[in-house]
Amino acid sequence: MRRTFAIADVLPIALVVAVCVCALAFISAPIWLNLTIAGVSVGLMIFLMASGLTLIFGLMDVLNFAHAGLITLAGYVTASVYAAMPGWVSSNDLSTNVLIVLAAAAASMLVAGALGYVIERIIVRPVYGNHLKQILATTGVLIIIQQLAIAIWGADLLHVSQPTELKKAVTFGTFFVENYRLLICAVGLAQFVAMIWALERSHLGLLIRAAVEDRESVESMGYEVKYLFVGVFAAGSAMAGLGGALWAIYQEVIFPEAGLQVMIMVFSVIIIGGLGSVLGCFVASILLGLIMNYVGFLVPSAVVACGFLLLLFVLVWRPHGFYPVVRR
Amino acid sequence: MTQELLRVDDLHTFIGDYHILQGVNFDMHEGGVAALLGRNGAGKTTTLRSIMGLAPPRGRIRFDGRDIVGLSTAAISRLGIGYVPETLGLFSGLTVAETLRLAARSRAPDRARIDWITSLFPALRKFWHSRSGNLSGGQKQMLAIAKALVEPKRLILVDEPTKGLAPSVVAELIAALKQLTQQSTSILLVEQNFHFAASLATETTVLESGQTTWQGMMGDIARDEALRRQLLGVSVV
Ligand SMILES: Nc1ncnc2c1ncn2[C@@H]1O[C@H](COP(=O)(O)OP(=O)(O)OP(=O)(O)O)[C@@H](O)[C@H]1O
Ligand SMILES: [Mg+2]
């Protein structure tokens, strides 16, 4: 999977830098610095929600709308973990605060991963290669998860606050960053490194691409594709769980359509990044996070539009996205 | 002769509601080349797919003394059977190097074995970093065979390897496959090009409408034009 170094590979990163520099022309330096750091953390938050779908949609070519349901479900699991350990959120001890977030994330990954396993076995396995059936079947799963969430947790907004110490910010003069954003950055970067490592080192990415193109041929080489696909699907679902848990805490609220609301962002960064590319998804997420933060400061009403404009611009510039691993 | 490697016994294969194979029988010995002949639609490809478990069969298939009916395709492959389908089974976006690394099921495939394979098919070395989708027809065929061989195999099933190849490339292929049998890999060859089959195979099975109609030595059918005409039709020279 080694690629030869090319100018074209640097351009997307140059674009991120250019956006930052441009913003500096409109925003005073101290505010710009805070917006930039916040934008990177939002970007990593988006990456955490999107990275699982990079595997499932980008590499395995399954249009999986159930991903939104798993993000929502993770938020509710987080609310339940919070309810089970109330003192941990309000505690003034940082490590206790971090532990409750990690516990919520772990529980969400477990639930989402297990559900992903079941979804693949029952819903997705018969519809590989058929986008229309995938959309219908996985949207059905999404609706079921939403209704189930309403039945269990109710239709009202649930509060999922950021733990006390994580809400506080580190400050250096005029520069400040909340601890929770730092936590997101750390988890996001760890996830990025782990995925690059797993896909490059074990040639998993290569294998998945090959199996999507010609499954029988990969089986004839001695690989059990059935287990490969269900494993990747469960892993991607668990990642949705991680992203969903951290997102709910970031937003401090969870409601039945929460996952659906972020799906446009999630699909956008996968397409902008190039199908199947973890690096592309990562760069695109940060770019979107930065732009959303800058635009949100300058012209708050334009935030929603700027995501679409970015998608449009990138697709005209590079129809296959930044670093396409798969071209469809 | 040497030991029996593959025995196919009363094989029946259904595709959907169609009863495609209706009693295929043959056996082949270790270290040889066996040809599977027959007119278009006789069931040759389906027989190979049945052996690989890609078209689940009824009946018995013994490979190296072991019943392989019901095993997964991957498990059958791991027992030491390679498959080169008519459609080649390549991955258009993957380079030659990536394809072989994947087929070797190891991040660092055995150097000596790669060297041996590229000595069989020098073109592969030359286009090492080209995407397989960009290779010529002949190069694709060689990559497809190489892919089936990177992991050492007891037997490879090859479906019409000469289709669309220039005569000089066919000669290259004959040389490579001959070398292969000297390395103790047996070959089950499906072929329309009778001369090609005759120059490699010793044992021969003829299929017609999903059934074995003749089994014997290649020499017998090569020498007897009337028999050949009766079994394979006039279209086969
Ligand atoms: N998927 C399928 N659905 C229905 N019939 C099929 C299918 N695959 C093969 N057949 C039928 O099974 C019979 C045997 O096909 P097969 O491909 O095994 O023949 P073959 O001997 O390889 O022919 P050829 O020399 O043309 O490659 C043919 O009559 C074919 O029409
Ligand atoms: Mg055929």
Side-chain angles (χ1 to χ4, degrees), chain B residues 40-41 43-46 86 159-160 190 192:
Chain B
N40 288 121
K44 307 180 295 292
T45 298
T46 307
E86 232 173 324
D159 201 345
E160 299 201 29
V190 165
Q192 296 282 352

Side-chain angles (χ1 to χ4, degrees), chain B residues 193-234:
Chain B
N193 179 336
F194 186 78
H195 289 308
F196 180 82
S199 64
L200 283 166
T202 46
E203 302 163 284
T204 303
T205 302
V206 179
L207 301 184
E208 177 69 59
S209 306
Q211 292 178 321
T212 300
T213 49
W214 192 83
Q215 189 177 14
M217 301 308 288
M218 182 50 106
D220 297 338
I221 192 169
R223 253 179 269 116
D224 189 340
E225 200 188 326
L227 177 65
R228 201 157 76 226
R229 185 158 304 189
Q230 177 208 329
L231 291 171
L232 301 171
V234 282

